[in-house]
Amino acid sequence: MTLSHLLAQCAAQLPTALRKLDPRHVWRSPVMFLVWLGSLLTTAAALVDPSVFTIALTIWLWLTVIFGNLAEAVAEGRGKAQAASLRAARTDTVARRLEDDGTLVPVPGTQLRIGDRVVVEAGEVIPGDGDIVEGIATVDESAITGESAPVIREAGGDRSAVTGGTKVLSDRIVMKVTTAPGETFLDKMIALVEGTSRRRTPNEIALSILLVSLTLVFLTAVATLAPMADYAGAPQDVVVLVALLVCLIPTTIGALLSAIGIAGMDRLVRVNVLAMSGRAVEAAGDVSTLLLDKTGTITYGNRQASRLVAASGVSDAELRDAARLSSLADQTPEGRSIVDLALAAGADDADLPAGAEFIEFTAQTRMSGVDLADGTEIRKGAGSAVSAWLGLTPSVEVTDVIDEIARSGGTPLVIAVRRVGEKGDVLGVVHLKDVVKQGMAERFEELRSMGIRTVMITGDNALTARAIADEAGVDDFLAEATPEDKMAYIRKEQAGGRLVAMTGDGTNDAPALAAADVGVAMNSGTAAAKEAGNMVDLDSDPTKLIDIVQIGKQLLITRGALTTFSIANDVAKYFAIIPAMFVAAYPSLDALNVMGLSTPQSAILSAVIFNALIIVVLIPLALRGVRFRAASATQVLRRNIAVFGLGGVIVPFLGIKLIDLLVSTIPGIG
C-alpha cells in the first residue's frame, strides 16, 4: 500500500471514523474507551484553564481515538468496496418455478422457498443457491469467483451445487432451492466482507483480557501516583496524568486489534474463501494436522503416461508410433497424455491415416485402439485383455514390467499390433500414473517446518497409496478411506490435542467436515458438504487449504508482532514522561532524560503525538499482515522479539526526539 493510497483511503473513511466516536461504539475496546474518557477530562480542563500545552494535548488525545477508529474504518472500507461489487452480482431475478403438474410459474426470486424446483435455461441467471436435480449445463461463476472460465454443473454427482447470481451459459437444468432468500452464500459473503457478522475470536478475546489487565495495572499506578506526587511536593495536573496513562497503556494494539481481525478475514475473501466465522480463520492458524484428498489436491486426478517400455526386439520408435496411433482419437486424459508423451519422444504430429477406424474402450473388451485401412490393428488395454485378443501369453519380460508398474501404484497399458497375414505381437507397455503436482513436496516440507503434519486421504489400496505418499512427501496416508475412517482419524488427532483441517466436496465428506476444526467445503460440492464445513472455497480448489492455513498463521503472527511492538513502546515513554513530571522536585532525574528533550511540556506532548501517529503508521502493516515465512513457533517468537520488540524500543526514541525538535519551537511549550 503506497502512502498516497493510504492517505486517500484515510480521507475517504474519516467521516466513518468520526461517527465511531459515539461512546456506544468506543466502549467495545476498553483500552480506547479509556483514552476517550481521558480526552473528555482534558477537554474539560482546557475549557476551565486554557493554555497552549493543554489545548495541544487535548487535540492529540482526540486524534489518538480518531486514528484508532480510522484503522478499523479503513479495514471495513476495503470490505465494503468488495461488497459493492458482489451486490452487482445479486440481481432481482424472475424465477420459473416448476409446479407438481409440470407447469412453469414466474415468481420473483425473493419469493422462492427451500424445496422449490426452478427451471433455468441458457442466458438466465440462477435465482438462488441450490442443487441440480435434472440436466447438465455450463455455468459462468465469474461474478462470484472472479474466474472467467465457465464450469460444468450436472445432476447426480458431487458437482451439482449452483450459486445464486451465477449465469447458465448453455443447456437447461432443473434445480432444487436449498437456501432461503437472504441466507444465500452471496448474502453471507456480503455480510462477511462488510464486517457486520464478524465476531471476536477466542484468541482475540484472550488478548483483549490481557490488554484490559495491563490497562488496569497502569490505571492503578497512575491513580496512586497523584497523591504520591502531592506528598513529594510535585503536584501533577490532570492533563499530565491522563497523558501518562494514555502513553503507558497498550493503545497501539488496542487501536489496531479490530483492524487486524477484519483484514485477516478480508484476505480470505480475496482468495475466494468464505469463512463462516473468525473462529475458523483463527483455528486455521493453529492447525497441526492437514487431511488432504489425493485426487485433485496432491495429484492432478487423471492418470498420465509417464514412460514407454518396449518389449525385446521392438524398437522404441515402433512402440512410440503405435501408442500414438492407438490414442489419436482417444479424448480421455489418459489418451491425450499418451499422445503428448509420444510427441515428446519424437513422433510425427500427423492425423490418423485416411480410412482408419477408432475402436472405443468398453467394459467388456477393456481395450481401445485403431484399425488402419491396410488391415493393421493396434490395441492398448489391460494385459489380460490384450493377451486374450492376441491369443498368446506375453513374455516373462513384459509380465515383469506389468507387475513392477502395478507394485509402484501405477497402471500398465499393454500395446499390441496384429497385421494381415502375420501373427500378432506385444510391442510394449505404457506406464500410467497419477502424477503428483509440481511443488507439492516443497509445500509439504514448509508445513512440516511449521510443525504441521500432512495426511493423504485416498480410496486407493494401501500399495498405491504408499507409492503416491512417498513421492509427494506427506507424513502419513489413509488408504481405502470410508466416511467412518475419516471421522475416526479426526477424533484420534483431536484426542491428542491437535487441531485438524480437511477439504471435501461430497455428501460422504460432510460428517468429517463437521468434525474437523477447519472444514473447507468446495463450492462445486453438495449442499450437505457446504453446510457441514465452516469455510467454502468458491474456486473449488482443494490445494487452497494450504493457503488458508498460511493466512490463519499470518493473522496470529501479525497480532503477536504488533502486541510486542505496542508493549515495547512503553520503554521510551518512561524516559520521556517520568523525568518531565518530577524533574522540578528532583533535579537528579534529569539524568534519565537520555533523549535530551527540550522542556517537560514538550517531552510529554511529543510522547502523546508519537503515540497517536504510530497508529496511522502501522495501519498498512495491520491490513497487509506481517510477511509470512514457514517457521516453527519458537523461530517466529524469536523473530518477533528481535524485529518488533527491539524495534518497539528503538523507534519511539527516534520518533519522540524528532517530534520534540518540532514541538519545542511552539511558543508556550518549548
Side-chain angles (χ1 to χ4, degrees):
M1 181 184 295
T2 62
L3 179 60
S4 60
H5 189 203
L6 172 63
L7 292 176
Q9 286 191 327
C10 289
Q13 297 302 324
L14 185 58
T16 303
L18 293 174
R19 287 194 296 270
K20 288 178 179 287
L21 288 174
D22 187 329
R24 291 171 296 181
H25 172 81
V26 181
W27 75 269
R28 297 174 186 173
S29 173
V31 176
M32 298 310 297
F33 183 60
L34 193 58
V35 179
W36 183 86
L37 289 176
S39 302
L40 286 181
L41 284 176
T42 57
T43 301
L47 292 174
V48 173
D49 184 17
S51 68
V52 175
F53 172 70
T54 305
I55 293 173
L57 197 63
T58 300
I59 291 173
W60 279 101
L61 286 176
W62 279 116
L63 286 176
T64 302
V65 182
I66 292 172
F67 290 161
N69 292 341
L70 194 61
E72 183 178 24
V74 170
E76 291 176 351
R78 294 173 64 181
K80 289 177 180 178
Q82 192 168 8
S85 65
L86 291 172
R87 277 200 186 89
R90 187 178 63 180
T91 57
D92 294 329
T93 58
V94 176
R96 292 184 296 156
R97 187 171 62 198
L98 182 63
E99 303 295 332
D100 293 337
D101 60 2
T103 59
L104 295 176
V105 178
V107 297
T110 54
Q111 294 183 11
L112 291 174
R113 295 295 177 261
I114 296 175
D116 286 348
R117 292 187 301 160
V118 178
V119 174
V120 188
E121 295 185 346
E124 296 179 349
V125 175
I126 295 173
D129 293 355
D131 287 329
I132 299 176
V133 295
E134 180 184 322
I136 180 173
T138 54
V139 180
D140 177 9
E141 296 185 342
S142 59
I144 305 298
T145 66
E147 295 292 334
S148 58
V151 296
I152 296 177
R153 298 287 179 258
E154 60 183 326
D158 286 343
R159 294 187 174 270
S160 61
V162 288
T163 305
T166 58
K167 187 176 183 179
V168 173
L169 298 180
S170 68
D171 303 293
R172 173 186 184 273
I173 58 171
V174 178
M175 60 166 284
K176 183 177 181 180
V177 177
T178 59
T179 308
E183 298 178 2
T184 66
F185 278 107
L186 193 55
D187 291 312
K188 291 178 181 178
M189 193 170 183
I190 291 172
L192 171 67
V193 298
E194 286 184 325
T196 56
S197 63
R198 197 186 81 86
R199 297 293 182 267
R200 293 199 302 170
T201 62
N203 184 280
E204 193 173 348
I205 292 172
L207 182 56
S208 297
I209 294 173
L210 172 63
L211 298 182
V212 170
S213 301
L214 289 174
T215 301
L216 290 175
V217 169
F218 287 120
L219 180 61
T220 303
V222 172
T224 57
L225 191 63
M228 293 173 62
D230 291 339
Y231 179 79
Q236 300 296 323
D237 292 337
V238 66
V239 292
V240 174
L241 293 174
V242 169
L244 174 63
L245 177 62
V246 169
C247 287
L248 295 187
I249 63 178
T251 51
T252 305
I253 186 61
L256 297 174
L257 186 59
S258 181
I260 294 170
I262 294 172
M265 298 191 71
D266 179 63
R267 281 194 291 274
L268 269 185
V269 172
R270 288 175 184 271
V271 295
N272 284 336
V273 175
L274 176 61
M276 304 306 180
S277 69
R279 183 188 296 268
V281 186
E282 199 168 89
D286 285 328
V287 158
S288 53
T289 302
L290 285 184
L291 301 185
L292 301 161
D293 275 334
K294 182 203 75 173
T295 305
T297 304
I298 296 174
T299 66
Y300 285 104
N302 297 311
R303 296 173 302 171
Q304 297 184 1
S306 62
R307 60 175 176 144
L308 299 170
V309 183
S312 296
V314 178
S315 68
D316 291 339
E318 184 179 2
L319 173 61
R320 175 199 68 195
D321 293 340
R324 187 186 75 89
L325 285 172
S326 68
S327 304
L328 273 177
D330 184 353
Q331 294 305 307
T332 64
E334 292 87 350
R336 291 195 296 269
S337 72
I338 293 174
V339 174
D340 291 340
L341 182 63
L343 292 175
D348 292 333
D349 188 9
D351 295 333
L352 273 174
E357 180 183 357
F358 178 64
I359 308 300
E360 292 187 2
F361 176 88
T362 66
Q364 289 74 30
T365 63
R366 293 190 298 155
M367 293 187 304
S368 63
V370 63
D371 289 345
L372 303 179
D374 62 3
T376 301
E377 300 173 330
I378 305 174
R379 295 292 183 270
K380 65 176 182 185
S384 58
V386 172
S387 296
W389 178 71
L390 289 174
L392 56 82
T393 301
S395 65
V396 174
E397 179 192 9
V398 171
T399 302
D400 288 343
V401 172
I402 293 173
D403 292 341
E404 181 265 326
I405 293 174
R407 282 194 301 271
S408 69
T411 301
L413 283 184
V414 176
I415 305 293
V417 62
R418 191 164 60 189
R419 297 180 177 87
V420 176
E422 296 182 14
K423 185 179 179 181
D425 197 9
V426 172
L427 299 180
V429 183
V430 180
H431 183 178
L432 294 179
K433 60 182 296 188
D434 203 353
V435 179
V436 174
K437 293 180 178 179
Q438 289 185 348
M440 292 306 293
E442 289 77 9
R443 299 195 76 174
F444 291 146
E445 183 58 37
E446 286 183 7
L447 292 170
R448 195 173 295 112
S449 68
M450 293 185 287
I452 297 176
R453 187 164 166 270
T454 52
V455 181
M456 183 185 76
I457 302 175
T458 177
D460 291 338
N461 60 62
L463 187 65
T464 301
R466 182 175 296 279
I468 297 294
D470 290 342
E471 183 178 354
V474 295
D475 298 305
D476 197 4
F477 65 89
L478 187 62
E480 299 177 354
T482 64
E484 292 78 14
D485 293 334
K486 298 175 188 177
M487 284 283 291
Y489 199 99
I490 291 173
R491 296 300 187 199
K492 183 183 73 173
E493 291 292 305
Q494 291 172 333
R498 291 176 286 273
L499 296 186
V500 181
M502 77 161 288
T503 61
D505 59 1
T507 301
N508 63 334
D509 292 323
L513 286 171
D517 299 284
V518 179
V520 184
M522 302 296 101
N523 190 43
S524 61
T526 62
K530 290 191 285 187
E531 288 297 325
N534 50 21
M535 290 188 186
V536 176
D537 177 14
L538 299 175
D539 292 334
S540 299
D541 177 9
T543 62
K544 200 176 288 181
L545 179 57
I546 299 173
D547 298 321
I548 291 171
V549 169
Q550 292 179 344
I551 290 174
K553 284 192 172 295
Q554 186 183 37
L555 171 64
L556 297 180
I557 291 170
T558 302
R559 193 180 290 161
L562 293 184
T563 300
T564 303
F565 185 89
S566 179
I567 295 174
N569 264 338
D570 288 345
V571 175
K573 297 168 190 174
Y574 294 142
F575 286 95
I577 297 180
I578 298 299
M581 292 175 64
F582 296 101
V583 70
Y586 301 99
S588 59
L589 286 178
D590 191 55
L592 295 178
N593 185 15
V594 295
M595 288 179 277
L597 303 179
S598 303
T599 66
Q601 287 184 327
S602 71
I604 294 171
L605 185 58
S606 297
V608 171
I609 293 174
F610 175 84
N611 196 61
L613 292 180
I614 197 64
I615 295 173
V616 178
V617 172
L618 291 177
I619 288 177
L621 184 61
L623 299 181
R624 185 181 65 250
V626 174
R627 182 180 177 185
F628 174 81
R629 296 184 182 90
S632 65
T634 302
Q635 291 172 319
V636 170
L637 178 60
R638 288 174 180 168
R639 187 166 62 241
N640 275 355
I641 292 175
V643 176
F644 294 94
L646 187 60
V649 173
I650 296 174
V651 170
F653 276 96
L654 299 176
I656 292 173
K657 178 58 180 178
L658 291 175
I659 294 171
D660 177 74
L661 294 175
L662 298 175
V663 169
S664 61
T665 62
I666 301 175
I669 295 178

